[in-house]
Amino acid sequence: MISRRHIRQALPFLSLAVVLLATFYVQPRTMSYFGLNLMLQYAVPIALATIAQMFVITVNDLDLSMGPFVGLVGCISATLLLEQPVAGVLVLLLLIAAYGAIGALIHVRNLPSIVVTLGLSFVWLGIAVLILPSPGGKAPVWLKAIMGVQLPVVPFPIVAAIAIAVAVHLALMLSSYGVIARGAGGNAKALSRAGWSMLRTKVTMYAFAGFFGVLSGLSLLGLTTSADAHVADRYTLFSIAGVILGGGEFIGGRVSPFGAVIGALTLALAGSFLIFLKISPDWQIGAQGAILIIVLALRAAVTKGEAWK
Amino acid sequence: MIKLDGVEKAFGAVQALDGVDLSIAAGECVGLVGHNGAGKSTLMHVLAGTLAPSAGELSLGVVKPGAAWNAAMARIMGIRCVFQELSLCPNLTVAENARVTHRSLKGWGWKAKSSALILQKLDEIFPGHGISVDDEVADLAIGKRQMVEIARAFTVTDLPLRLVILDEPTSSLDAVTAAQILAYVKTETAKGTSVILVSHLLGEVLSTSHRIVVMRDGKTVADRAAGNFTRNSLVTAMGSEARHMAAREASAPRKAEVAIKVNPKAGSSREFIANRGEVVGLAGLAGHGQTQMLLHLYGTHQAQMAFIAGDRQSDGIFNLWSIGRNISIRSLKGLRRRGLVNLAAEAQLENSWKARMAIRTDNVDNNILTLSGGNQQKALFARALSSDARIILMDDPMRGVDVGTKQEVYAMIREQAAAGRTFIWYTTEHDELAYCDRAYVFRNGSISAELNSNELTEEKVLQASFAEKTA
């Protein structure tokens, strides 16, 4: 039986299919290994940032510092990680720990995550500008090699996206601890009554967010080959939009790793699609917003029908 | 086996538990009854470790955990609860919810184990339940959620099961499933598990429990074998000692002029009528449809009504506004001059009502939060009474208001009613019904009785609140 829940879950896939078909229609030459590779390569860092954001949204918070954080990771990797790999790795680990600490702070002091992370976005940006006042630095060779891998038959970005989704799906949707993490978003009181530590859950989820944020910064640097503090400023909104496009909800612990990755792919594709339509870059953000609103309106319609039933 | 000695719990100035002694033997089903606010839920939270008592001691056999008692420890000692507010995660499936309370369900194959565990228990307690373990809880009807919650409380993995607290377990169940759970309680207690059954349905408490404990005003007032109670003796034990109500002079009979009328709902034969100049009480246990009735009334005749909220913080005051603004908001329409608010008239209204209600402030321009709770409530009364509304709806407005303020407001209500205003007053405090001309007692969302002022005794109200279909 096809319930509305299934329709809701299928919506991200349908949106991706529509955008993909529209792109193929406008520019048939993209329907090739090379075309897909080129169009989707930036989907990898966006997908990773979206997954990072999803971990925060799972526990009913929102991370407004994701973009600058990804930019900061890029700046560190293009300088410190390149020159002193050991110190570079340590600093990146420190950043992940910092994310965990932020989770603890937000939970213990009961602060609104939006305010805390909005403030942090300036901190991350500031450090990044201090490290790299003007665009520059260089991506480590191995990073460029990973991001430039040419796989047979299926383009690398698609394989990477599927691998990310599968890994996170296993961790968050199928593992027994993932249940606790999502339950914390659904009914935190019930979780603490059952003897689970909310603090630990939040710290874990924020640390995962930091981890995937670092991966996003690294993969982006592997593509751009040089760093810029501002390169990922749009990622904050991309990551949130990706989660929501993918069927996630802001509160209630309802998330979907496959959906989030699909959402990120849709956003990346929508960018290419709008370029093929020769829409000026000035209008692109607006056009992407319009796509987002259409998908959300569809979902709201489906959900409303559900409640009505 | 499990013993509470002199447990006390205070929330601010409110003494919710005032020295409760309770002991539960293995394999015993203890029924716990009492009026709203008698302290039953607080006591259960203390037992479950989710609230720390302010004084008193809890012991399990020879173990005296003292201050170390918390929810995690209660779980380890085998105490499970089914609380009124459901504690399932709506975004998780039935099987995943079972995992939440069982730490040992992990590693490879946890889902299969969890599914089998909860399904087996559901089948055992509620044969023919029709619930799939892969259903998301949010997609289940409220009754099925409650079934899952109950079944989950009885599942056993690595930790022992000693005591299950069922707080109103049948409130959302139909008669068949309610009978199933009550029958299962008997099977389970025969196996040595203890059960505490908290319920307003006296019939099920009498038929299921071995022993019944009655609570009143934060104390246990009766504790006897279930066979020594009848429905009437339970109701009597629950009611406060017969307080002598100040007999109010019967107001001179007025020519009844119907102010508002609501036709009976399906399944109920009583219509709701409020006459002009009358104070009509809505009584009964909390949450049995009184607030819904007020909202329904408000929805039909919004223009001529004013609503006084009981939950000040969430739907009463405007936190950031001054006292005066909070008072005048309902009257702004009448204070308009050429489309703008007439500030002089507004200030005059604010100050005159500050004086009439004796709101303790030197300046109505102070922020509303500078007032004490009782005075904030007076400002809400001033908002409603200063308006042109002919009918005033009150949603248990005296919650947390001190006695002095109450007396002032009661007097004001009578005065205004005499002047022809109609008051519809939902109250959970029995004493307040003395100020009503008539009261409707609510049960399960509809009116179960209509009582005139001379019939408004606590016993009659309780009887009507508990009027269940004779099983």
PDB file of all heavy atoms in Angstrom, chain A residues 175-186:
ATOM      1  N   SER A 175      22.008   1.506  12.931  1.00  0.00           N
ATOM      2  CA  SER A 175      22.707   1.077  14.140  1.00  0.00           C
ATOM      3  C   SER A 175      21.829   1.310  15.363  1.00  0.00           C
ATOM      4  O   SER A 175      20.895   2.116  15.331  1.00  0.00           O
ATOM      5  CB  SER A 175      24.013   1.852  14.297  1.00  0.00           C
ATOM      6  OG  SER A 175      23.756   3.091  14.895  1.00  0.00           O
ATOM      7  N   SER A 176      22.147   0.596  16.442  1.00  0.00           N
ATOM      8  CA  SER A 176      21.320   0.746  17.634  1.00  0.00           C
ATOM      9  C   SER A 176      21.565   2.098  18.296  1.00  0.00           C
ATOM     10  O   SER A 176      20.685   2.652  18.923  1.00  0.00           O
ATOM     11  CB  SER A 176      21.606  -0.392  18.620  1.00  0.00           C
ATOM     12  OG  SER A 176      22.981  -0.435  18.927  1.00  0.00           O
ATOM     13  N   TYR A 177      22.784   2.655  18.135  1.00  0.00           N
ATOM     14  CA  TYR A 177      23.010   3.966  18.738  1.00  0.00           C
ATOM     15  C   TYR A 177      22.332   5.077  17.931  1.00  0.00           C
ATOM     16  O   TYR A 177      21.888   6.080  18.493  1.00  0.00           O
ATOM     17  CB  TYR A 177      24.509   4.264  18.886  1.00  0.00           C
ATOM     18  CG  TYR A 177      24.734   5.499  19.735  1.00  0.00           C
ATOM     19  CD1 TYR A 177      24.516   5.458  21.109  1.00  0.00           C
ATOM     20  CD2 TYR A 177      25.077   6.717  19.157  1.00  0.00           C
ATOM     21  CE1 TYR A 177      24.653   6.586  21.891  1.00  0.00           C
ATOM     22  CE2 TYR A 177      25.226   7.855  19.933  1.00  0.00           C
ATOM     23  CZ  TYR A 177      25.015   7.789  21.302  1.00  0.00           C
ATOM     24  OH  TYR A 177      25.134   8.898  22.073  1.00  0.00           O
ATOM     25  N   GLY A 178      22.257   4.868  16.613  1.00  0.00           N
ATOM     26  CA  GLY A 178      21.563   5.845  15.775  1.00  0.00           C
ATOM     27  C   GLY A 178      20.122   6.041  16.231  1.00  0.00           C
ATOM     28  O   GLY A 178      19.580   7.141  16.170  1.00  0.00           O
ATOM     29  N   VAL A 179      19.503   4.972  16.710  1.00  0.00           N
ATOM     30  CA  VAL A 179      18.124   5.057  17.213  1.00  0.00           C
ATOM     31  C   VAL A 179      18.059   6.047  18.367  1.00  0.00           C
ATOM     32  O   VAL A 179      17.160   6.887  18.446  1.00  0.00           O
ATOM     33  CB  VAL A 179      17.645   3.664  17.683  1.00  0.00           C
ATOM     34  CG1 VAL A 179      16.342   3.779  18.444  1.00  0.00           C
ATOM     35  CG2 VAL A 179      17.485   2.749  16.489  1.00  0.00           C
ATOM     36  N   ILE A 180      19.042   5.963  19.260  1.00  0.00           N
ATOM     37  CA  ILE A 180      19.062   6.859  20.414  1.00  0.00           C
ATOM     38  C   ILE A 180      19.239   8.302  19.949  1.00  0.00           C
ATOM     39  O   ILE A 180      18.560   9.216  20.427  1.00  0.00           O
ATOM     40  CB  ILE A 180      20.208   6.476  21.369  1.00  0.00           C
ATOM     41  CG1 ILE A 180      20.060   5.017  21.804  1.00  0.00           C
ATOM     42  CG2 ILE A 180      20.248   7.385  22.581  1.00  0.00           C
ATOM     43  CD1 ILE A 180      18.723   4.661  22.380  1.00  0.00           C
ATOM     44  N   ALA A 181      20.138   8.500  18.984  1.00  0.00           N
ATOM     45  CA  ALA A 181      20.390   9.854  18.487  1.00  0.00           C
ATOM     46  C   ALA A 181      19.128  10.459  17.883  1.00  0.00           C
ATOM     47  O   ALA A 181      18.763  11.595  18.171  1.00  0.00           O
ATOM     48  CB  ALA A 181      21.516   9.827  17.457  1.00  0.00           C
ATOM     49  N   ARG A 182      18.420   9.666  17.078  1.00  0.00           N
ATOM     50  CA  ARG A 182      17.209  10.195  16.463  1.00  0.00           C
ATOM     51  C   ARG A 182      16.107  10.345  17.507  1.00  0.00           C
ATOM     52  O   ARG A 182      15.317  11.282  17.466  1.00  0.00           O
ATOM     53  CB  ARG A 182      16.743   9.293  15.325  1.00  0.00           C
ATOM     54  CG  ARG A 182      17.591   9.477  14.063  1.00  0.00           C
ATOM     55  CD  ARG A 182      17.116   8.591  12.940  1.00  0.00           C
ATOM     56  NE  ARG A 182      17.373   7.191  13.230  1.00  0.00           N
ATOM     57  CZ  ARG A 182      16.455   6.233  13.148  1.00  0.00           C
ATOM     58  NH1 ARG A 182      15.229   6.525  12.788  1.00  0.00           N
ATOM     59  NH2 ARG A 182      16.761   4.991  13.428  1.00  0.00           N
ATOM     60  N   GLY A 183      16.074   9.402  18.442  1.00  0.00           N
ATOM     61  CA  GLY A 183      15.078   9.495  19.509  1.00  0.00           C
ATOM     62  C   GLY A 183      15.244  10.776  20.305  1.00  0.00           C
ATOM     63  O   GLY A 183      14.273  11.383  20.744  1.00  0.00           O
ATOM     64  N   ALA A 184      16.499  11.214  20.462  1.00  0.00           N
ATOM     65  CA  ALA A 184      16.760  12.457  21.197  1.00  0.00           C
ATOM     66  C   ALA A 184      16.093  13.632  20.508  1.00  0.00           C
ATOM     67  O   ALA A 184      15.632  14.567  21.161  1.00  0.00           O
ATOM     68  CB  ALA A 184      18.263  12.689  21.315  1.00  0.00           C
ATOM     69  N   GLY A 185      16.022  13.580  19.187  1.00  0.00           N
ATOM     70  CA  GLY A 185      15.333  14.644  18.462  1.00  0.00           C
ATOM     71  C   GLY A 185      13.819  14.495  18.569  1.00  0.00           C
ATOM     72  O   GLY A 185      13.093  15.471  18.548  1.00  0.00           O
ATOM     73  N   GLY A 186      13.353  13.275  18.693  1.00  0.00           N
ATOM     74  CA  GLY A 186      11.912  13.029  18.707  1.00  0.00           C
ATOM     75  C   GLY A 186      11.279  13.296  20.059  1.00  0.00           C
ATOM     76  O   GLY A 186      10.221  13.899  20.149  1.00  0.00           O
TER      77      GLY A 186
END
